[in-house]
């Protein structure tokens, strides 16, 4: 497949042309290789890796070191795919200077093409400072997992008029601050359509309906590899978890029966060398 790596300018052009942007998460080299071979436009190295890969109960414990480690692995594989890396919790809230430093680390040390952070008006000036420093920033509104406790848990947001108006205002402020795109998570489809029409930057939806400029899913949700729970907005395009379980059962059965390894899986000595060994 002939695939050309996107740029921010091309992403904006896709919005103007009405061409949908395809984004998926990836957290390691093998999965990123497969994604890079697909028509996916963008990879998100999300702090969701805390729950999906590292087994945390939330995204809050994820560190900068973990984000850089996983981003490096993905970037090694994703030669033709635009890579966005999440700024983890408390890596950008303490000060603007620290936010710029950590965003720069994800590009300089991690190799990402852009960073993503959560929040609206409260982080607009931080977004502006990071963008002025020459670091592309993607915003994230609606359900923001890093602060899910304050939002009442992992549930849909902005479902009344007042909250919806606040989100529309936040989206405008993030665009004005220099965000090049915006993730909208777990909000009403009608609200996402309003935001998408009002902004000149692309919107990427996850649980935000079909009217966004693009969509993003957690890879492990899409492939049926995450067993703990499946969000309402996730669609399983495969059930690889079941396939893996069946493969492991077959492996254990063959080992128990001594049918694996078979002759084709073994290395052999020449007979004369074996005779010398036995004579010795």
């Amino acid at each position: 497949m002939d695939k050309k790596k996107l740029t921010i300018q091309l992403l904006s052009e896709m919005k103007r042309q009405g061409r949908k942007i395809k984004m998926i998460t990836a957290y390691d080299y093998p999965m990123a290789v497969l994604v890079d071979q697909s028509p996916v436009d963008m990879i998100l190295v999300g702090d969701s890796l805390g729950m999906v890969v590292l087994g945390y109960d939330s995204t809050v414990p994820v560190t900068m070191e973990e984000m850089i480690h996983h981003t490096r692995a993905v970037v090694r594989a994703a030669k033709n795919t635009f890579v966005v890396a999440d700024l983890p919790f408390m890596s950008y809230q303490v000060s603007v200077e620290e936010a710029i430093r950590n965003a720069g680390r994800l590009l300089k040390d991690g190799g990402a093409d852009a960073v993503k952070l959560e929040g609206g008006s409260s982080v607009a000036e931080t977004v502006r400072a990071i963008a002025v420093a020459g670091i592309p920033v993607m915003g994230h509104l609606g359900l923001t997992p890093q602060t899910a406790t304050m939002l009442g848990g992992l549930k849909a947001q902005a479902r009344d008029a007042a909250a919806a108006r606040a989100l529309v205002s936040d989206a405008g402020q993030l665009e004005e601050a220099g965000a090049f795109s915006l993730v909208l998570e777990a909000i009403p489809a009608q609200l996402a359509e309003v935001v998408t029409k009002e902004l000149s930057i692309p919107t990427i939806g996850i649980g935000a309906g079909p009217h966004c400029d693009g969509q993003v899913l957690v890879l492990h949700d899409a492939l049926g590899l995450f067993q703990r729970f499946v969000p309402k907005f996730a669609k399983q395009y495969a059930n690889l978890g079941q396939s893996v379980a069946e493969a492991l059962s077959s492996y254990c059965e063959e080992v128990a029966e001594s049918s694996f390894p078979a002759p084709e899986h073994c290395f052999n000595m020449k007979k004369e060398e074996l005779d010398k060994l036995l004579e010795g």
Side-chain angles (χ1 to χ4, degrees):
M1 182 188 66
D2 186 18
K3 179 176 176 179
K4 181 179 180 181
K5 184 173 180 174
L6 290 183
T7 63
I8 291 173
Q9 292 71 27
L10 287 174
L11 288 168
S12 297
E13 187 177 328
M14 289 179 73
K15 178 182 176 78
R16 291 192 297 271
Q17 295 175 347
R19 295 162 52 204
K20 294 291 187 177
I21 299 163
K22 290 84 65 183
M23 190 177 196
I24 199 84
T25 67
Y27 313 109
D28 57 33
Y29 182 88
M31 287 296 190
V33 167
L34 296 175
V35 173
D36 198 50
Q37 294 170 352
S38 78
V40 165
D41 299 307
M42 306 174 75
I43 289 175
L44 172 63
V45 187
D47 59 0
S48 50
L49 69 86
M51 301 175 72
V52 175
V53 176
L54 302 179
Y56 298 146
D57 290 332
S58 73
T59 63
V60 170
V62 177
T63 66
M64 275 298 301
E65 287 67 30
E66 287 166 339
M67 288 305 307
I68 291 171
H69 173 84
H70 286 271
T71 301
R72 280 176 174 166
V74 168
V75 169
R76 290 185 198 111
K79 305 300 183 184
N80 301 298
T81 310
F82 192 94
V83 176
V84 181
D86 266 342
L87 280 164
F89 183 62
M90 294 310 294
S91 68
Y92 57 93
Q93 292 94 337
V94 174
S95 69
V96 170
E97 291 76 14
E98 188 170 345
I100 296 171
R101 184 179 302 110
N102 285 324
R105 289 184 68 195
L106 285 176
L107 267 66
K108 185 178 176 63
D109 299 332
D113 297 298
V115 302
K116 180 173 74 64
L117 55 76
E118 299 179 1
S121 58
S122 63
V123 298
E125 290 310 308
T126 300
V127 169
R128 188 187 310 279
I130 294 172
V132 167
I135 301 168
V137 188
M138 176 181 283
H140 185 148
L141 291 175
L143 174 57
T144 48
Q146 292 177 7
T147 53
T149 301
M150 293 182 63
L151 299 175
L154 296 172
K155 62 182 184 179
Q157 301 296 312
R159 302 182 77 172
D160 61 69
R165 279 194 295 270
L167 189 142
V168 172
S169 174
D170 283 343
Q173 290 183 60
L174 290 175
E175 177 178 21
E176 193 275 332
F180 75 89
S181 64
L182 189 61
V183 167
L184 301 174
E185 180 169 359
I187 65 171
Q190 300 89 339
L191 174 58
E193 183 176 15
V194 170
V195 173
T196 299
K197 288 180 177 178
E198 290 205 2
L199 298 183
S200 62
I201 60 174
T203 60
I204 311 292
I206 177 166
H211 305 295
C212 297
D213 298 304
Q215 298 292 328
V216 59
L217 274 181
V218 171
L219 182 64
H220 291 62
D221 288 339
L223 298 182
L225 286 170
F226 188 59
Q227 305 295 317
R228 198 186 305 175
F229 65 88
V230 179
K232 172 182 173 62
F233 52 73
K235 179 177 178 178
Q236 286 191 347
Y237 288 86
N239 190 358
L240 299 190
Q242 181 63 34
S243 298
V244 170
E246 291 172 357
L248 292 174
S249 293
S250 296
Y251 164 69
C252 291
E253 182 179 331
E254 291 188 6
V255 170
E257 295 174 347
S258 297
S259 59
F260 175 82
E264 62 267 26
H265 306 121
C266 299
F267 301 98
N268 296 297
M269 294 177 67
K270 293 181 179 180
K271 184 178 184 304
E272 55 268 29
E273 296 301 326
L274 177 59
D275 290 341
K276 289 179 183 178
L277 172 65
L278 296 176
E279 288 171 1

